[in-house]
Amino acid sequence: LSFFISPTKSTMEYPALRRSPRALLRDFAVFVGILFLLAAVIHYDTKVQSGVVQPSSAKFASFSRQKGSFALGAKGLIKPTRCDAQVSSMAVETGIDLKEYLTSKKQNVDLALDASIQSNCKETDKICEAMRYSLLAGGKRIRPILTIAACEMVGGTEQDCMAAAIATEMIHTMSLIHDDLPSMDNDDLRRGMPTSHVKYGEDVAILAGDALLSESFAHVAKQTPKSVPADRIVEVIRILGDSVGPVGLAGGQIMDLECEGKQGVKQEDLVWIHRHKTGALLRAAVASGATIGGASDSEVDACIKYAESIGLAFQVADDILDVTQSAEVLGKTAGKDEATDKTTYVKLLGLEGARAEAQRLAGEAIKALEPFGEKAGTLKALAGYIVNRNQ
């Protein structure tokens, strides 16, 4: 640069610059190229360290049939990443484009959710607004997508089970509204937005949750296509009802509250809590889809075994994320479990132990789907996604 500004002065001060302009231009181009290369390497390394991308050696997960475990990377659970890198190798092995599947199904679910709650008179505007506020606040829509995937696996269609899928999301949203109440977890942030009781008041939040719960059953009864046999619809309503009762969400939440700050809580206590809390609705989601699709009793049982394992794996992943991610990434208060002295898998097993448990549970889930062969590709890929998500 000095040469081009003042050639005479530069060649006097720096003898090495006494070269032809063409040679200097060539050297300058090489120098700029090296700078760009260094910048690219630094940029990539920064993204690897921050978890945005993964090095190729750890990008994909692998299922070890010898050990019966789902190994997410060479050193255990892969560091949480963005959606592009969250798809496990199960999607590759089965030919499933999981990212495309999740995107497509989420769009369809969101459209159906938007249509599911509408106010038909001014007197119901407020309650419907509160219901829609939480129901449409975003989220991964894992439960309705599991319902659809299970139904499709046994020969049903998305249209057949969409009402049941929407019902599972209504129940899930109810549970979030109630969990966030001051008398429960007392949280003011959910999916990056003020929680229902913060925005509308505790009274309206409770009623919005109650309305979503009751509407979920009515939605299955009214919106399931008439081509689906009535006995399947009744069975789905029973499955959903069981998921929120004393051996479901309510019972699990009671135990969860009782174990806060309690000494001597064991892993079997934690398993019971989350089989009847987080796991109950995931189990209902998968079983509902399989039932609507016409699965046999033995096929439904296999789906339930799968769902019980991913239900626990989902909670283990949640416990890990609570101590490894920020509130901005999670969309809810981070570090809340530790602040309330809640018993978690990380607290009982340590971070690495919790990661190992997530791998084991995902492996169990995949093994349960063996009777379905290649038809279970999507559910297998979803098992990897559940333990490898970043929020």
Side-chain angles (χ1 to χ4, degrees):
L1 290 176
S2 175
F3 173 83
F4 291 111
I5 296 171
S6 180
T8 303
K9 182 179 178 182
S10 296
T11 54
M12 290 175 62
E13 293 180 358
Y14 307 104
L17 293 178
R18 292 172 186 166
R19 306 174 65 191
S20 68
R22 179 176 296 179
L24 287 170
L25 281 172
R26 183 190 63 219
D27 293 345
F28 181 69
V30 171
F31 175 70
V32 170
I34 291 172
L35 285 179
F36 273 111
L37 180 61
L38 287 172
V41 170
I42 293 170
H43 179 65
Y44 175 78
D45 184 65
T46 300
K47 292 171 92 61
V48 169
Q49 294 299 324
S50 62
V52 174
V53 299
Q54 296 170 340
S56 59
S57 62
K59 188 173 183 180
F60 295 117
S62 61
F63 178 62
S64 169
R65 291 179 176 82
Q66 292 80 8
K67 295 183 179 180
S69 63
F70 193 77
L72 296 174
K75 296 183 179 180
L77 190 66
I78 294 174
K79 186 177 182 180
T81 63
R82 290 183 182 175
C83 187
D84 290 9
Q86 286 178 335
V87 180
S88 76
S89 64
M90 276 295 161
V92 178
E93 292 174 8
T94 58
I96 301 295
D97 185 344
L98 186 57
K99 180 185 174 185
E100 173 59 30
Y101 185 88
L102 290 172
T103 301
S104 172
K105 297 304 183 186
K106 184 179 183 302
Q107 288 175 348
N108 295 343
V109 167
D110 284 340
L111 287 172
L113 286 170
D114 183 47
S116 68
I117 304 294
Q118 300 289 338
S119 177
N120 296 317
C121 61
K122 62 182 177 62
E123 288 81 5
T124 61
D125 285 351
K126 187 170 185 179
I127 185 66
C128 287
E129 178 189 332
M131 293 165 71
R132 288 173 58 83
Y133 174 79
S134 297
L135 189 64
L136 305 180
K140 299 173 287 295
R141 310 305 188 199
I142 287 294
R143 290 154 191 83
I145 290 174
L146 284 168
T147 301
I148 295 169
C151 184
E152 292 175 338
M153 180 181 70
V154 298
T157 67
E158 178 183 306
Q159 183 180 7
D160 291 339
C161 68
M162 184 58 83
I166 295 308
T168 64
E169 193 68 9
M170 287 180 175
I171 295 173
H172 175 55
T173 302
M174 173 278 296
S175 73
L176 299 182
I177 293 173
H178 287 180
D179 272 358
D180 292 334
L181 290 170
S183 58
M184 297 284 191
D185 288 348
N186 192 23
D187 220 326
D188 57 6
L189 187 67
R190 174 69 68 176
R191 291 171 175 171
M193 300 167 59
T195 49
S196 182
H197 70 272
V198 171
K199 184 171 179 64
Y200 294 103
E202 193 171 347
D203 50 355
V204 174
I206 292 172
L207 292 171
D210 292 346
L212 282 168
L213 178 59
S214 60
E215 183 60 28
S216 68
F217 304 116
H219 193 78
V220 173
K222 293 186 295 186
Q223 300 300 325
T224 302
K226 296 186 183 300
S227 57
V228 177
D231 60 329
R232 297 182 191 175
I233 299 173
V234 172
E235 175 63 8
V236 166
I237 293 174
R238 182 199 67 77
I239 291 170
L240 293 174
D242 285 346
S243 75
V244 292
V247 291
L249 290 170
Q253 179 70 0
I254 288 288
M255 281 290 292
D256 195 22
L257 291 170
E258 289 184 349
C259 286
E260 284 187 9
K262 184 179 178 181
Q263 299 298 315
V265 178
K266 300 177 181 178
Q267 187 172 347
E268 50 263 39
D269 299 321
L270 207 55
V271 168
W272 196 96
I273 290 170
H274 296 301
R275 279 199 190 282
H276 298 84
K277 187 181 176 184
T278 307
L281 192 51
L282 287 167
R283 184 169 63 246
V286 177
S288 294
T291 299
I292 290 289
S296 65
D297 290 345
S298 62
E299 288 175 329
V300 173
D301 287 343
C303 287
I304 289 173
K305 288 180 181 177
Y306 163 84
E308 286 178 342
S309 292
I310 63 164
L312 290 177
F314 191 100
Q315 185 59 50
V316 177
D318 258 8
D319 290 352
I320 293 169
L321 291 172
D322 189 66
V323 299
T324 60
Q325 292 286 15
S326 65
E328 290 74 21
V329 172
L330 295 177
K332 59 184 180 181
T333 305
K336 190 69 181 291
D337 292 340
E338 184 177 2
T340 58
D341 197 20
K342 180 175 286 189
T343 303
T344 67
Y345 283 94
V346 174
K347 182 178 179 180
L348 287 182
L349 306 177
L351 185 56
E352 291 306 314
R355 286 171 169 164
E357 181 66 1
Q359 296 170 25
R360 186 188 69 78
L361 289 165
E364 280 189 357
I366 292 167
K367 186 175 181 180
L369 296 174
E370 287 179 354
F372 300 100
E374 294 181 357
K375 293 184 293 184
T378 302
L379 286 180
K380 289 180 180 179
L382 283 167
Y385 171 83
I386 282 171
V387 297
N388 194 35
R389 59 199 168 87
N390 76 334
Q391 57 181 193

